[in-house]
Amino acid sequence: MHPDERKAKVFDLKLANWKARQLSFAGRVTLAKSVIEAIPIYPMMTNKIPKSCLEEIQKLQRNFIWGDRDGVKKYHAIGWEMVTKPKDCGGLGLRRLEVMNQACILKLSWKLASGAKDCWFEVLRGKYDCRALKGEISVKNSASSLWKVMVNLSPQLHNLCFWVVGDGTEIEAWQHAWINEGLRVVEKVAVIPDDLKNIKVSELVDVNGSWNWNMFQGWMPQELKNRIAAILPPSAANGKE
């Protein structure tokens, strides 16, 4: 038996035991969300599940929710894209398994990048000589599948990160999000002066430890300057980021 057929048979047996025909629509949605959706969570934590496998699971979810059984296909009143939206957005609250898989791997990546001391993080750091997922990281063919996925998702991790200003020595002033969540100056300003392009946040203060507003004059919108004014200037007393 082909592996995909075996997986489908396992899920079908589980669904059959629930006697789906005796459940209301709300009951089928609840079971599809709390049971079928939960089955692949454990392997998702440390593995990138093949897309075809996740699609097969979601196909079984769809069939179960709408009552497709024994080759008889029922009318699917709502598209799957709407079904997988949060309830407050008009959906049914089911999750996209591919997104869940990415979220699980990104959680591990964040723990590695934020300096977690768990034993297996130390093993990864030692094995691949990488203290954090920053910059250009070369991946050998012999690397573990988990490490390859973590490196591939590292740009997405950095896009989702928000820096809390400490001493400012690690934060790229215009490329990193530190003024507000998801806000990067390079995406809001058309032209950044050449002499300021590659500076750190720690370099944006004057000799008195206050924001050096002269560096922002003539090119930064007032809205961004107002947001910066609400942030405590970087200082060694604030500790690391």
Side-chain angles (χ1 to χ4, degrees):
M1 182 182 293
H2 190 275
D4 287 341
E5 294 178 356
R6 190 181 301 113
K7 285 181 288 187
K9 186 174 181 180
V10 170
F11 278 101
D12 281 337
L13 287 173
K14 289 181 178 291
L15 299 183
N17 291 335
W18 293 338
K19 299 180 180 178
R21 294 174 183 173
Q22 300 179 19
L23 294 172
S24 66
F25 178 77
R28 293 197 297 272
V29 170
T30 300
L31 284 174
K33 183 178 180 180
S34 62
V35 180
I36 306 176
E37 196 174 88
I39 290 173
I41 288 294
Y42 185 77
M44 277 183 179
M45 292 295 181
T46 55
N47 298 277
K48 181 173 174 56
I49 308 299
K51 187 175 181 179
S52 59
C53 181
L54 297 179
E55 288 177 347
E56 183 66 26
I57 295 173
Q58 291 192 319
K59 178 182 177 182
L60 291 167
Q61 278 186 299
R62 289 195 298 271
N63 292 345
F64 180 67
I65 289 173
W66 298 111
D68 296 355
R69 299 293 297 173
D70 303 325
V72 179
K73 187 175 179 64
K74 300 291 185 67
Y75 178 67
H76 294 199
I78 306 172
W80 190 246
E81 184 175 347
M82 177 59 71
V83 170
T84 53
K85 286 185 177 181
K87 289 184 178 180
D88 56 1
C89 294
L92 296 179
L94 277 81
R95 299 170 181 169
R96 289 185 175 274
L97 297 182
E98 187 174 5
V99 175
M100 284 179 62
N101 196 181
Q102 287 188 0
C104 290
I105 302 297
L106 284 170
K107 181 179 179 181
L108 296 180
S109 300
W110 168 248
K111 292 188 71 175
L112 177 69
S114 59
K117 300 300 182 182
D118 304 56
C119 179
W120 79 272
F121 286 118
E122 294 297 342
V123 170
L124 279 179
R125 293 187 185 104
K127 181 176 181 180
Y128 299 110
D129 191 25
C130 182
R131 304 308 300 175
L133 294 168
K134 296 180 180 179
E136 294 291 332
I137 304 174
S138 59
V139 180
K140 297 180 180 179
N141 292 333
S142 58
S144 68
S145 59
L146 174 59
W147 180 249
K148 291 177 181 177
V149 175
M150 291 174 72
V151 172
N152 287 338
L153 290 177
S154 60
Q156 189 172 343
L157 174 68
H158 294 308
N159 288 336
L160 296 171
C161 286
F162 173 70
W163 291 81
V164 176
V165 177
D167 61 8
T169 57
E170 295 186 25
I171 307 175
E172 299 286 346
W174 321 128
Q175 285 75 29
H176 287 163
W178 60 276
I179 300 175
N180 203 359
E181 186 174 351
L183 193 159
R184 294 170 177 79
V185 175
V186 71
E187 298 172 357
K188 299 293 183 179
V189 178
V191 179
I192 297 174
D194 290 339
D195 58 332
L196 300 178
K197 281 186 176 179
N198 299 312
I199 65 174
K200 305 286 188 180
V201 171
S202 59
E203 300 174 68
L204 297 177
V205 296
D206 57 25
V207 293
N208 298 317
S210 301
W211 292 113
N212 188 347
W213 297 111
N214 292 329
M215 300 179 71
F216 305 117
Q217 296 300 326
W219 65 275
M220 181 176 285
Q222 187 61 43
E223 179 189 358
L224 290 182
K225 289 191 283 187
N226 291 342
R227 291 179 181 272
I228 292 174
I231 300 173
L232 193 67
S235 169
N238 297 338
K240 302 295 289 184
E241 277 76 35

